[in-house]
Amino acid sequence: MSEEGVEVPRALASGPSAFIPAKEMLIDGPNQDILIESFLSLGRVDHLTMVLALHPAYLSCFLRTQHALLELDGPLPRHWRHYISVMAAARHHCSYLVQQHSTGFLEAGGEEGWLCGLQHAPTKLRSLQTLNKLLAHRPWLIAQQHIQELVSPGAEPRWSLAELIHAVILMAHAHSLCSFVWGCGLNPEPDHVGGYTFQPPSPTHPPRCPHSPANEDCRQELVDGVVEVEVLMKRMVELQQQEEECTQEEMVTRFERERSESIPTAVVRGAPPDLVLCLVEEPEFRYEDFAPRGEQSPPTMRAQDYSWEDHGFSLVNRLLPDMGQLLDEKFQVVSNLTYHRMAMHEGVDTYTLRKALWNYIHCLYGIRYDDYDYGSVNVLLERSLKVFVKTMACHPEQTTARIYHAFWRHFRHSEKVHANLIVMEARLQAALLYTLRAITHYMR
């Protein structure tokens, strides 16, 4: 309460992330430039940017892509771009992104009524709902007919292919960003619902540090953590030296084993806020595990038959000039991002671990690489990491602090954020590949 009797709200969060201590976010040196660039373009440095700034090379190409998607000249009006992003973020109950894009929507001249429910939006935007639902949860079901219904001459209202590809990339970008927002435990912005209070702060008791060596359990945990890192290092070296040839049939079997492995993710969260629920049709439609081999299961997409490099990239560039280039640069940066360190070790080649993470996410989405031995996934990704990755990629709204802290207990938070970037981009590419394949089939 101020002296004039005006209530002044107080920010609730003490940092950008509920999972990562604020002091780890206090960055200086080369990262300052990118934060200044973000401040100048957005007028603020939001929580998302602060966490992404742990990896400045990635952040700069992320900001370029997002700016092109939302702001630069393109087939869709600016307020529609934000509304499509709102529709997409609502699928994963991500009130952080729903609120960010609702603000962008209103600032671009959008009608407030549209945010009260999908029924208030134009029919043309509502016609994206099936594609939005499939892209978010089961992109392997996207077929030529879904494209045809929106773009063929008889479609009413009709989308042009350029408008549709713009909408698809906006939706897939928002869905994968939901994974990152939930996976890093981003706190609401101070001006978001849930980000401020008018209550005075209550006296706080310093929390016991979970890694305080004074605690006997913690000391044991530290020892276990060190052992886990050593075991992982050893496995990585062994895999790189391994020369065992395995038959094509065995490779397929190992892929199927990973794809249908039961990894429990069902943590039930409280109902999402109304501002999110009113923007979701069929909220019960979710990711579904692939059935074990032999049972009714969607066919696998072989990466050799339709890949980003050979097919997707050129199609996007043809329909939405420069966007293929921007996405490709972002995929490349994530694929090559390394600091040659792992937990307390320096000079480490982490390629096999990064590759296992990327291919595991594509495996969860039914994409198989003929030349990759999926046995490596089981060797390199401990179960607690698989639980986290699968939850974040397939059911992001069920991510909790407990599963974030359970994996890679001795790694830096920036390394966990690095893993989250891999999940986000691999998921984005998988969803795009299925949709771009359907568009290619339609255009033939």
Side-chain angles (χ1 to χ4, degrees):
M1 192 86 81
S2 78
E3 291 166 23
E4 289 80 22
V6 178
E7 282 197 296
V8 179
R10 177 175 63 80
L12 278 172
S14 62
S17 161
F19 300 168
I20 305 168
K23 65 176 185 290
E24 300 229 2
M25 294 289 143
L26 296 172
I27 355 176
D28 51 6
N31 308 22
Q32 289 287 353
D33 294 344
I34 191 82
L35 293 178
I36 291 165
E37 184 188 318
S38 162
F39 181 76
L40 293 174
S41 70
L42 302 169
R44 73 196 299 175
V45 179
D46 59 18
H47 292 166
L48 175 63
T49 308
M50 287 165 81
V51 176
L52 287 174
L54 289 168
H55 299 283
Y58 176 82
L59 175 59
S60 65
C61 64
F62 172 86
L63 289 175
R64 275 198 301 283
T65 307
Q66 184 158 271
H67 181 68
L69 272 177
L70 295 168
E71 307 299 334
L72 296 184
D73 284 350
L76 296 174
R78 277 184 59 228
H79 65 298
W80 276 40
R81 301 178 198 192
H82 283 288
Y83 194 78
I84 289 166
S85 303
V86 164
M87 287 166 59
R91 288 278 358 150
H92 286 309
H93 306 172
C94 185
S95 65
Y96 181 90
L97 288 178
V98 166
Q99 292 186 75
Q100 292 284 70
H101 286 291
S102 296
T103 304
F105 169 73
L106 296 171
E107 284 172 356
E111 282 180 46
E112 201 163 351
W114 297 12
L115 297 172
C116 298
L118 292 167
Q119 68 278 19
H120 303 294
T123 317
K124 186 166 175 176
L125 280 171
R126 293 207 310 273
S127 69
L128 288 175
Q129 274 302 84
T130 299
L131 207 49
N132 182 25
K133 181 181 75 174
L134 294 175
L135 259 175
H137 308 296
R138 301 179 211 165
W140 50 88
L141 297 180
I142 295 172
Q144 183 180 332
Q145 85 212 40
H146 296 111
I147 307 304
Q148 208 161 328
E149 285 162 9
L150 296 168
V151 299
S152 66
E156 188 48 55
R158 187 183 179 189
W159 289 78
S160 72
L161 273 173
E163 287 173 333
L164 185 63
I165 201 91
H166 195 175
V168 161
I169 296 169
L170 282 163
M171 289 188 285
H173 175 79
H175 296 146
S176 60
L177 201 48
C178 288
S179 284
F180 188 82
V181 168
W182 283 115
C184 292
L186 285 201
N187 284 321
E189 296 295 325
D191 55 348
H192 280 183
V193 173
Y196 60 86
T197 180
F198 289 102
Q199 301 293 319
S202 54
T204 54
H205 301 287
R208 182 181 67 76
C209 166
H211 292 299
S212 158
N215 178 307
E216 200 48 53
D217 291 345
C218 285
R219 210 172 304 154
Q220 187 52 47
E221 196 176 299
L222 284 174
V223 172
D224 293 347
V226 173
V227 172
E228 278 170 16
V229 176
E230 300 303 332
V231 168
L232 181 54
M233 293 270 295
K234 188 162 169 279
R235 287 175 173 180
M236 285 163 69
V237 171
E238 284 168 359
L239 271 179
Q240 279 160 332
Q241 294 168 346
Q242 195 176 329
E243 287 171 12
E244 169 216 357
E245 281 294 314
C246 145
T247 65
Q248 197 55 44
E249 199 174 332
E250 175 59 21
M251 298 273 258
V252 173
T253 304
R254 289 177 183 184
F255 168 81
E256 294 291 351
R257 198 179 298 141
E258 285 303 326
R259 183 170 83 152
S260 57
E261 183 188 13
S262 174
I263 299 282
T265 55
V267 177
V268 182
R269 276 191 175 271
D274 290 344
L275 69 95
V276 169
L277 262 188
C278 68
L279 295 161
V280 184
E281 269 178 19
E282 277 191 82
E284 67 288 348
F285 188 89
R286 287 269 159 268
Y287 173 90
E288 246 180 24
D289 284 349
F290 285 91
R293 197 176 181 191
E295 295 180 31
Q296 264 313 101
S297 200
T300 298
M301 184 200 252
R302 291 172 68 243
Q304 283 70 9
D305 297 340
Y306 200 93
S307 70
W308 169 256
E309 295 77 12
D310 298 334
H311 310 92
F313 169 71
S314 54
L315 178 61
V316 173
N317 254 0
R318 198 161 95 219
L319 295 173
L320 204 60
D322 298 334
M323 188 46 69
Q325 199 61 51
L326 286 163
L327 289 169
D328 191 59
E329 187 189 333
K330 200 153 57 77
F331 293 144
Q332 294 283 346
V333 166
V334 157
S335 297
N336 300 322
L337 190 64
T338 181
Y339 301 93
H340 302 289
R341 65 170 186 235
M342 208 172 85
M344 66 294 285
H345 297 276
E346 300 290 336
V348 183
D349 179 358
T350 58
Y351 174 77
T352 50
L353 183 56
R354 301 192 321 266
K355 181 90 174 153
L357 265 173
W358 182 279
N359 287 358
Y360 178 56
I361 290 128
H362 276 197
C363 170
L364 293 173
Y365 276 81
I367 297 173
R368 177 168 71 84
Y369 295 85
D370 282 354
D371 56 354
Y372 184 73
D373 177 4
Y374 288 84
S376 310
V377 168
N378 241 359
V379 173
L380 298 177
L381 309 188
E382 60 187 43
R383 192 166 176 83
S384 57
L385 174 55
K386 278 185 170 178
V387 168
F388 176 78
V389 164
K390 183 173 179 182
T391 303
M392 188 185 150
C394 308
H395 311 273
E397 60 282 2
Q398 296 177 3
T399 310
T400 60
R402 191 174 61 80
I403 62 172
Y404 171 87
H405 291 298
F407 80 95
W408 284 2
R409 290 176 297 175
H410 229 68
F411 283 59
R412 301 167 175 87
H413 286 286
S414 62
E415 291 173 303
K416 291 190 169 197
V417 171
H418 186 174
N420 290 358
L421 294 179
I422 294 173
V423 175
M424 164 163 75
E425 291 297 331
R427 176 190 173 175
L428 171 65
Q429 192 182 90
L432 286 178
L433 284 174
Y434 283 112
T435 322
L436 295 170
R437 182 178 66 169
I439 291 174
T440 302
H441 288 165
Y442 168 78
M443 289 169 74
R444 277 184 187 152

